[in-house]
Amino acid sequence: MKKADVAELYLRLAELNPEPEGELEWVNPYTLLVAVALSAQATDVSVNLATRRLFALADTPTKMLALGEDAVREQIKTIGLFNTKAKNVMLMARQLVDLHGGEVPQDRAALEQLAGVGRKTANVVLNIAFGQPTIAVDTHVFRVSNRTGLAPGKTPLDVELKLAKVTPAPFLLHAHHWLILHGRYICKARAPECWRCPIVDLCRYREKKLAPPKTRSSGTADQAQ
């Protein structure tokens, strides 16, 4: 995508949503860290349902350790891979207490040393909790970046590095939020809704769906009844 088109893409997304926010619920950097780690292979909705109860009981590493693994497992059992995630939550809490005085570190390397924390999770926490201009590449960002031609790459790291390079500085802080939301609600995996896309003319996708799928008329529906 041309440099001018990249700037225009972000400008349009910014005009539609000037202050985008993540959809995971959190009350402090620690609860954000836990929520993001729990969201792997799970929806934000399912994580929020579980963490509302969990964070009411434990919103610091010390409280989480006091709560215990069995109780954590019980609270998050509706989330995929809950057994492994419960173990990671407990180990992460222990690491934070022992190595960081119970505080969430503000650098990627330290975050990635924590149990259950990868580069994407670290980038989300740095961005949302600490206001750093990092770009977290999830499946939505990866798809949108490749499909539109914004920052094509074969791996999430490839895409992240390209996005960091091509995204104009004024848009870096919110870039991954705009792309996540765009991928989640418009540029969907199986059926992108190109007919209502605000950046359709900038997009390099060759199989654009410029008309919504046809639905049966009310008359047909009445006859079917």
Side-chain angles (χ1 to χ4, degrees), residues 80-98:
L81 306 176
F82 66 92
N83 282 314
T84 298
K85 290 178 179 179
K87 292 181 183 298
N88 284 337
V89 167
M90 297 307 296
L91 180 54
M92 178 199 298
R94 174 53 61 195
Q95 291 172 313
L96 288 171
V97 169
D98 291 349

Side-chain angles (χ1 to χ4, degrees), residues 3 6-8 10 163-173:
K3 185 176 181 179
V6 171
E8 179 64 21
Y10 281 116
L163 283 173
K165 182 177 180 179
V166 304
T167 301
F171 300 116
L172 273 172
L173 181 61

Side-chain angles (χ1 to χ4, degrees), residues 12-132:
R12 293 183 192 179
L13 296 181
E15 288 176 343
L16 291 171
N17 190 358
E19 297 293 333
E21 296 182 353
E23 296 183 326
L24 288 173
E25 298 174 4
W26 57 287
V27 295
N28 55 34
Y30 172 65
T31 55
L32 175 64
L33 175 62
V34 173
V36 178
L38 292 176
S39 70
Q41 299 184 48
T43 65
D44 288 358
V45 172
S46 67
V47 172
N48 288 338
L49 289 173
T51 56
R52 286 169 196 160
R53 301 187 301 269
L54 178 62
F55 296 155
L57 299 171
D59 60 0
T60 69
T62 301
K63 291 179 182 178
M64 196 68 74
L65 289 172
L67 187 61
E69 185 176 325
D70 289 343
V72 171
R73 185 183 299 108
E74 180 65 23
Q75 295 300 323
I76 68 170
K77 64 183 181 182
T78 55
I79 302 175
L81 306 176
F82 66 92
N83 282 314
T84 298
K85 290 178 179 179
K87 292 181 183 298
N88 284 337
V89 167
M90 297 307 296
L91 180 54
M92 178 199 298
R94 174 53 61 195
Q95 291 172 313
L96 288 171
V97 169
D98 291 349
L99 302 177
H100 303 285
E103 299 295 324
V104 176
Q106 298 188 35
D107 69 273
R108 184 187 289 111
L111 284 169
E112 289 190 48
Q113 293 300 312
L114 300 173
V117 178
R119 188 178 180 91
K120 185 195 76 172
T121 296
N123 280 338
V124 171
V125 173
L126 292 173
N127 181 271
I128 297 178
F130 301 119
Q132 297 186 26

